[in-house]
Amino acid sequence: MSKPHSLHLLPHPRSIVWSEGQFHLPAKGSIVLGREEDRAVIPAARKLQLLLSQTLQLNVPLSVGTRPSVRPVYYFSYSPLLPQQGYELHVGENGISVTYGSPEGAFYAVATLKQIIRQCGREVPFLQISDQPDFPARGIMLDISRNKIPKLDTLYRIIDFMADLKLNQLQLYIEGSPFAYESFPQVWELETPITGEEILLLDAYCRERYIELVPNQNSFGHMEGWLTRPEFNDLAEISEGFMFPKHMYDNDMYPEGLFMHPGTFHTENPEVLGLLGTMYDDLLPYFSSKLFNVGCDETYELGLGKSKATADSKGKGQLYLSFLQKIHGLVLERGKTMQFWGDIILQHPELIPQLPKDIIAMEWGYGAEHPFEAETLKFKEADIPFYVCPGTSSWNSLTGRSDNMLANLRSAAIHGKNNGAIGYLITDWGDFGHWQHLPVSYAGFVYGAGVAWNVENNLEADVAEYLNTSVFYDRSGKIGQLLLDLGNYYKLESGISRPNDTELSMLMRTLLHNVGLALKLTAGHFDHLEQYISEVEDRLEDLTLECEDAALVIEELRNGIHFVQHAVQLGRIKLLLASEPEKLNAALIRRQIKDLDILLHHYRQIWLQRNRLGGLEQSVSRLARLRAEYSKLAAELAETKAL
C-alpha cells in the first residue's frame, strides 16, 4: 500500500510498510508494559498518555503486566534483537505495539506515534515501522555567551522541541560569565547567569526526555571575558591585546585594522591550569553527563606573544597540542570524556595521531562548501572519534541564510555518516549581539534532526510542513515556507557569498562612514531587497498560529523583518555618503533615527520575553553607536544647510 498522501513524518523512519485498513483508537483500553522489567519505559508511556489526553481527550490508564481484565490497546515490549535507540512500531487490527531495544527507543517510537496521531486522529492506518538512528549522538549547541542567556522556560521549550525530533544531546556554550561560578562571584555579579541549581533542574528535565545535558566550557581561546579582567590579565598570551592579522578578516569591514582583546591563555603559565581546574570544579558537579566539551578553538594569538620563543623552536602546532593534553589531564581527573573543537589541530594534521585516543574531536564548519569529507577523514585515519558540527546559519544574518543552512547540514550528515562520525551537533551561535530571534533557528534544528536520525530518508525532508504542523500549529499552513523565504534575502545581495554573515547584517555593525561594504551593493540591489522583504512581511497577515507563543512569534518575525528593512535604508545612506553626499539632508537622517528607535524599543521588549536581562545592553551597543552616528550626521547636515 502506498503512503497516505496526508501523513508527514520527520525524522522520516528507516523503513515503513503500509497495509490496508485502519485501527480505531477506542475510548476504553490501556497502555500496557508487558513485564515488570518494562518499567524502564514509563517515561515513554507517560508521554503517550499525555499525547492521547491532549490530542484526543482520551484518558488511558497505564498497566504493568498482562491480565484478562486489561485490554492492551497500546503495548510495550523489550527485544534484545533490536539495537540501542532502535524500535519497531506496529499498528494492526489488535492495536498498537511498540518493541524497543532500549528505553530511549520506546520514547522515540512515541515521538513518531505523536506525529501520526496528530495527523490521523483516532483512525490510525495499519503500518509497520522499523527504525534506528544513523548517528548515536544527535544534538543542539546553543550559544548562551554572546549576550543572550535564555530563561529556564525558554530552555524547557527547546528541550521539548528536541525530544519530539529524537535529538538526545544539548550543549550550552559557555565563555565569559553566563554561568554563576561559585569561586568567582566578582566575574558575574552584575549579570544574570545560569546558576548551578538551575543546571540541576535542566539536567533532570533533559534526562526525563533521554537528552544528555553536556557541559561546554571554552578553555583556551575565546577567554576575553576573563583575560580582560585585571586579576586574570597576566594569564593572557598577549595581555595588552593585539591587531588581528589582515589576511584573517574582511578589510572592507575593518579598514583601520581589527583590534582584539586578549583572549588566549599563555600556555606556559602554571596558574592557567589552576584557574581552569577551579572553573571546572565549579561547573561540572551540576551535570550528570560523562562528556565535557572544553572548546579550544580559534586560539588566534597563540605563539605570537609570551610563548613566541617556544612556538618558534617547537612549532605552534606542538605548543597547541601540549596544552590540549594538559587540559585532557584535568578532564580525566574529573571523570569525564573530553570533547574539543577540531579546527586548530586540523591546521597541523601530522599531530592528529598524537591526540589521546579517548578524546572526541568536534569537526565544525558552517558554509555550504565546508570540506567535511576531507577533514573528517583525517580524524578517521588517526582512529580519533569525532562529531560533525554544522550550524543553523542564523547568526550574523538578522533572519537566517536558509539555503546555506540546508546545504551545510546536509553535507555534514552525508560525509559524517560515510566517514564514521559518532555524533552530529547542530550549532547555533550568537556573534555580535545575537540579534536573530529564536524562531529563525527552528528550520535548522528541524532539518538537522532529520538528517542526523537517518541521512538517506531525510535529505529532502519537508521542513516547512513540520514547522507548520508540529511547531507553530499554523492552520494556514504557510509559516514554514515564510521562514525559509525570510532566511533567503541574502541571495539578493549581489551574489556575494560570505562565511557566517550577510551584507545587511554587517552594514548594521560597521561605522556609518565606513562605506566600503555598501559599495558592493547598488541602488538596484537595495530596491530588490526592499521589495522582497516587503512581500514576505505582507504574508504575515495570512498566518493563523495556534502555538502557545503565537503572538510572540509574530512579533519576532516582524522585528527581524524590521532589522532587514532598516539595514536596506542604511545601505542607501552609505551609498549617498560615498557618491552623492549632497543628496543627504538632516530630515532623512532624523527619519532613520526615529525608525531605529522604534526598532530598538521593539527589540528590547521581545528580548525580555524569552531571555534574561543581563546582556541586553551589550547586544544593542552597536545599534546605540549607530544611533549616535546618525545624530552626529544629522547635526552636521543641519549646520551645513544653515551656512
Side-chain angles (χ1 to χ4, degrees), residues 2 57 103 172 210 326 411 453 493:
S2 62
Q57 289 73 53
L172 304 177
Y210 299 101
K326 292 176 182 177
S411 175
W453 180 263
E493 293 180 334

Side-chain angles (χ1 to χ4, degrees), residues 130-151:
S130 297
D131 208 6
Q132 66 185 79
D134 282 342
F135 294 89
R138 306 167 305 282
I140 289 175
M141 188 224 73
L142 299 175
D143 184 352
I144 66 167
S145 299
R146 316 297 171 84
N147 309 143
K148 187 176 286 184
I149 306 176
K151 295 178 179 178

Side-chain angles (χ1 to χ4, degrees), residues 29-297:
S30 297
I31 299 171
V32 175
L33 310 183
R35 310 166 305 155
E36 188 170 341
E37 291 86 343
D38 291 320
R39 292 169 63 92
V41 302
I42 285 179
R46 297 293 189 204
K47 183 179 177 73
L48 178 56
Q49 272 187 318
L50 186 63
L51 164 67
L52 294 170
S53 174
Q54 292 182 339
T55 306
L56 303 177
Q57 289 73 53
L58 295 177
N59 296 315
V60 180
L62 173 62
S63 298
V64 178
T66 58
R67 56 191 63 87
S69 59
V70 174
R71 181 188 178 187
V73 175
Y74 316 89
Y75 189 84
F76 288 85
S77 62
Y78 168 73
S79 171
L81 301 179
L82 292 179
Q84 289 286 314
Q85 303 189 48
Y87 69 89
E88 292 181 352
L89 175 63
H90 179 262
V91 181
E93 59 184 16
N94 294 321
I96 298 174
S97 64
V98 171
T99 308
Y100 59 90
S102 61
E104 56 265 45
F107 194 80
Y108 301 146
V110 174
T112 300
L113 190 57
K114 178 177 181 178
Q115 293 185 56
I116 295 172
I117 290 175
R118 283 191 61 86
Q119 294 173 61
C120 299
R122 294 177 69 171
E123 305 298 330
V124 181
F126 289 172
L127 55 79
Q128 175 75 37
I129 293 178
S130 297
D131 208 6
Q132 66 185 79
D134 282 342
F135 294 89
R138 306 167 305 282
I140 289 175
M141 188 224 73
L142 299 175
D143 184 352
I144 66 167
S145 299
R146 316 297 171 84
N147 309 143
K148 187 176 286 184
I149 306 176
K151 295 178 179 178
L152 274 183
D153 286 347
T154 302
L155 291 170
Y156 289 148
R157 180 183 295 275
I158 292 171
I159 292 165
D160 287 333
F161 182 104
M162 294 173 63
D164 283 344
L165 287 165
K166 303 183 177 72
L167 293 167
N168 66 355
Q169 192 175 112
L170 173 62
Q171 300 193 13
L172 304 177
Y173 172 75
I174 295 174
E175 67 172 73
S177 56
F179 175 74
Y181 300 91
E182 290 160 302
S183 298
F184 305 101
Q186 76 278 14
V187 173
W188 52 266
E189 60 187 353
L190 300 179
E191 305 297 333
T192 52
I194 290 180
T195 66
E197 186 172 357
E198 288 176 316
I199 292 292
L200 290 175
L201 294 172
L202 286 171
D203 192 84
Y205 198 84
C206 282
R207 281 187 282 111
E208 290 170 358
R209 291 153 182 80
Y210 299 101
I211 294 172
E212 184 176 5
L213 184 64
V214 176
N216 183 321
Q217 163 72 69
N218 222 326
S219 307
F220 198 166
H222 285 285
M223 297 302 296
E224 292 87 350
W226 295 77
L227 296 178
T228 53
R229 298 183 64 88
E231 65 267 41
F232 304 117
N233 182 246
D234 191 52
L235 304 182
E237 171 74 6
I238 305 177
S239 297
E240 63 274 19
F242 71 108
M243 295 301 294
F244 207 58
K246 288 187 177 180
H247 70 279
M248 296 181 68
Y249 68 86
D250 189 320
N251 290 346
D252 292 326
M253 187 170 180
Y254 303 104
E256 305 302 321
L258 176 58
F259 174 77
M260 298 283 284
H261 292 287
T264 297
F265 279 131
H266 175 211
T267 61
E268 297 173 295
N269 188 327
E271 294 182 18
V272 170
L273 291 178
L275 173 61
L276 283 175
T278 304
M279 292 169 67
Y280 293 172
D281 290 339
D282 280 0
L283 178 70
L284 296 180
Y286 294 102
F287 294 82
S288 60
S289 172
K290 292 300 181 183
L291 298 174
F292 179 26
N293 188 338
V294 298
C296 300
D297 62 318

Side-chain angles (χ1 to χ4, degrees), residues 280-528:
Y280 293 172
D281 290 339
D282 280 0
L283 178 70
L284 296 180
Y286 294 102
F287 294 82
S288 60
S289 172
K290 292 300 181 183
L291 298 174
F292 179 26
N293 188 338
V294 298
C296 300
D297 62 318
E298 298 182 329
T299 52
Y300 296 123
E301 63 265 48
L302 179 65
L304 301 179
K306 298 171 185 174
S307 63
K308 187 176 187 306
T310 304
D312 290 345
S313 62
K314 295 183 178 180
K316 188 181 293 188
Q318 192 61 54
L319 186 64
Y320 177 86
L321 176 62
S322 176
F323 191 65
L324 193 72
Q325 290 168 331
K326 292 176 182 177
I327 294 175
H328 177 253
L330 294 178
V331 174
L332 281 185
E333 289 171 5
R334 287 154 181 82
K336 304 291 185 181
T337 296
M338 177 171 143
Q339 298 177 333
F340 78 108
W341 301 120
D343 57 314
I344 304 300
I345 203 68
L346 281 167
Q347 297 173 21
H348 310 277
E350 73 282 359
L351 299 180
I352 292 176
Q354 297 181 37
L355 290 168
K357 299 303 181 185
D358 62 347
I359 205 170
I360 299 174
M362 311 295 278
E363 159 51 16
W364 62 269
Y366 310 127
E369 306 301 325
H370 181 77
F372 281 111
E373 182 176 22
E375 296 197 344
T376 57
L377 191 60
K378 295 172 185 176
F379 291 118
K380 177 183 179 180
E381 291 174 343
D383 292 324
I384 301 298
F386 64 93
Y387 285 25
V388 283
C389 306
T392 61
S393 300
S394 64
W395 61 99
N396 297 343
S397 71
L398 306 178
T399 57
R401 294 185 297 140
S402 299
D403 283 3
N404 181 81
M405 170 269 293
L406 293 170
N408 177 241
L409 293 165
R410 182 185 303 117
S411 175
I414 292 170
H415 298 303
K417 180 183 178 182
N418 289 344
N419 283 341
I422 64 170
Y424 185 101
L425 187 68
I426 307 160
T427 61
D428 192 59
W429 298 97
D431 302 34
F432 299 112
H434 213 138
W435 289 345
Q436 78 275 16
H437 296 296
L438 180 60
V440 170
S441 302
Y442 282 172
F445 294 162
V446 171
Y447 186 71
V451 293
W453 180 263
N454 185 279
V455 178
E456 183 178 354
N457 289 346
N458 288 279
L459 291 177
E460 303 302 324
D462 193 341
V463 173
E465 179 65 17
Y466 186 87
L467 292 170
N468 292 336
T469 59
S470 298
V471 178
F472 299 111
Y473 309 132
D474 181 14
R475 287 192 286 111
S476 76
K478 295 180 178 180
I479 190 173
Q481 191 59 50
L482 186 152
L483 269 171
L484 292 171
D485 292 343
L486 181 57
N488 271 336
Y489 80 79
Y490 79 101
K491 297 174 69 177
L492 301 179
E493 293 180 334
S494 184
I496 299 170
S497 177
R498 292 187 177 277
N500 308 325
D501 228 324
T502 69
E503 295 294 301
L504 294 188
S505 177
M506 285 194 289
L507 283 172
M508 295 285 282
R509 305 197 311 267
T510 54
L511 295 172
L512 181 59
H513 284 81
N514 176 2
V515 297
L517 290 172
L519 292 177
K520 294 185 177 181
L521 301 175
T522 67
H525 288 122
F526 291 124
D527 289 343
H528 290 141

